Amino acid sequence: MSLTPRHLLGIIGDPVEHSLSPAMHQAAFKKLELPFSYSKIHLKNKELKIFFSTLVASNYLGFNVTIPHKEAVLDYIDEFSDEAKLVGAVNTVKISENKIVGYNTDGQGYIEALKREKRFVVKGKKALILGAGGAARGLIAALALNGIKEIKVCNRSFERAQSLCKEFSKKFVKIKIVAIEWQKNYLAKILPKIDLVIQSTSLGLKGEEIPHFPWDKLSSKCLVTDIIYSPTPFLAEAKKRKFKTQNGLGMLLYQGVLAFEIWTDKKAPILVMKKALKEALLHKLSKN
Ligand code: NDP
């Protein structure tokens, strides 16, 4: 049993230096006068086992998990939230009654950002996800849990998209979840009926373009989103073409809001967290 109060929080990853999460959580603790401290914890894969073995007896209340550990941590966790079970990955951990509990707030963070910042409700809509990696898993689960009608998944490796769609079709039998090949003519066929585009590949982080995207087929009412939070050529093109857009900063904010509420059982000071996140991003971009 831990003899000292749990006041430590943080984010584990490799690399982790780029993370903006400390800025938003520290600002929230300050606003609510909570005696917590949030730091970056650089952990290599081989260091996970020892880190987790010391947790219950430590001062940690919890932490976030980022690339590349979101799946690797599953081996060390005692209990999972329904979302974490569905997604098969964890981005938030809480040490609760001496148990290590895993959550996944990424996908719901994306949905909250759509709702609160764009007044966009996913129920009954049709979405296209570009990418079939870890982030796409969380997005599919959250869209399905929030009543989406149809999801198309388009990925460079078609087999990966197919296997993802097969897995989630079994979990959500009433929702059409279909893989499509990443070719201009296939995309052109489906785009007119799409209400929401979600760019979830890592393309754009270093200014890379999204290939073969037939913009002229997209309905003018479609909301175009990118989960990368720094500026990307994909969102720049969408803006140029006068589509409504949303970048990944909202997803980052609301996954953090949900994690904060899991750890503290208090309502997160969203505006304070948003301001801190924006400032941290501007600072980061000014250094690049
Ligand atoms: P993964 O490594 O799990 O997946 C990467 C995806 O990008 C795969 O679909 C991969 O396709 C695709 N991809 C990579 N390189 C290329 C390329 N050259 N051409 C075409 N497709 C490519 O990463 P994640 O899913 O975890 O993360 C994806 C992005 O989302 C990252 O940029 C990350 O920063 C961002 N993200 C943002 C969050 C937020 O809060 N805003 C939260 C989580 C992630 P293939 O399968 O063919 O390799």
Side-chain angles (χ1 to χ4, degrees):
M1 204 179 74
S2 171
L3 297 173
T4 44
R6 298 192 182 282
H7 62 277
L8 298 180
L9 289 138
I11 177 162
I12 65 167
D14 178 24
V16 74
E17 205 37 55
H18 64 282
S19 175
L20 304 179
S21 292
M24 78 171 149
H25 286 297
Q26 285 295 151
F29 300 151
K30 192 171 167 200
K31 175 73 183 170
L32 299 193
E33 298 180 1
L34 295 172
F36 295 141
S37 151
Y38 188 107
S39 59
K40 296 174 188 170
I41 309 159
H42 185 197
L43 279 185
K44 297 210 173 293
N45 193 277
K46 61 180 184 204
E47 295 167 327
L48 287 178
K49 192 173 177 184
I50 180 94
F51 176 75
F52 272 85
S53 71
T54 60
L55 274 181
V56 168
S58 76
N59 295 131
Y60 273 99
L61 173 61
F63 47 89
N64 288 125
V65 183
T66 189
I67 285 171
H69 300 319
K70 289 185 186 183
E71 289 171 38
V73 298
L74 298 180
D75 288 347
Y76 308 108
I77 287 175
D78 301 318
E79 279 176 16
F80 296 94
S81 70
D82 291 345
E83 282 85 358
K85 267 188 230 160
L86 261 176
V87 179
V90 158
N91 81 324
T92 301
V93 169
K94 181 173 182 178
I95 296 102
S96 187
E97 293 171 6
N98 294 340
K99 276 197 191 131
I100 302 174
V101 187
Y103 302 81
N104 196 311
T105 67
D106 278 335
Q108 194 55 36
Y110 174 81
I111 304 283
E112 290 298 318
L114 284 190
K115 255 196 263 180
R116 295 180 193 226
E117 295 184 356
K118 295 290 158 187
R119 305 263 167 258
F120 186 96
V121 175
V122 302
K123 194 167 192 299
K125 303 283 192 336
K126 295 182 180 177
L128 166 68
I129 301 181
L130 301 174
R137 296 182 68 81
L139 291 166
I140 295 177
L143 290 168
L145 289 171
N146 283 276
I148 196 103
K149 188 173 179 191
E150 210 175 300
I151 304 172
K152 303 269 201 268
V153 180
C154 186
N155 192 48
R156 172 178 63 177
S157 144
F158 182 54
E159 293 72 28
R160 193 175 183 190
Q162 277 182 311
S163 117
L164 189 65
C165 291
K166 201 170 156 194
E167 177 189 336
F168 279 94
S169 295
K170 280 187 200 149
K171 292 176 178 170
F172 296 98
V173 289
K174 290 190 179 152
I175 303 172
K176 260 175 96 176
I177 307 175
V178 183
I180 59 159
E181 296 209 41
W182 196 320
Q183 284 178 27
K184 202 163 191 163
N185 52 338
Y186 287 105
L187 277 167
K189 261 190 212 158
I190 61 138
L191 280 194
K193 291 193 174 153
I194 295 294
D195 306 294
L196 173 68
V197 173
I198 312 172
Q199 196 309 99
S200 85
T201 75
S202 37
L203 287 176
L205 269 178
K206 293 179 189 140
E208 310 94 318
E209 310 264 347
I210 296 293
H212 315 305
F213 196 79
W215 286 100
D216 53 323
K217 302 291 182 206
L218 201 56
S219 154
S220 59
K221 290 185 198 140
C222 186
L223 173 62
V224 180
T225 69
D226 195 323
I227 68 164
I228 294 178
Y229 50 73
S230 45
T232 63
F234 186 69
L235 271 203
E237 185 64 29
K239 276 185 197 149
K240 204 172 101 189
R241 291 172 180 266
K242 308 269 188 278
F243 287 102
K244 282 176 280 172
T245 60
Q246 162 106 318
N247 71 17
L249 205 62
M251 176 175 178
L252 183 64
L253 169 65
Y254 285 99
Q255 64 75 32
V257 164
L258 295 168
F260 180 96
E261 293 180 351
I262 287 168
W263 294 323
T264 65
D265 291 321
K266 293 187 191 306
K267 212 168 157 15
I270 296 176
L271 291 179
V272 169
M273 293 171 80
K274 186 174 183 171
K275 183 167 175 273
L277 205 49
K278 278 190 170 167
E279 283 170 5
L281 179 62
L282 280 178
H283 181 67
K284 185 178 165 179
L285 292 175
S286 73
K287 286 203 302 188
N288 290 345

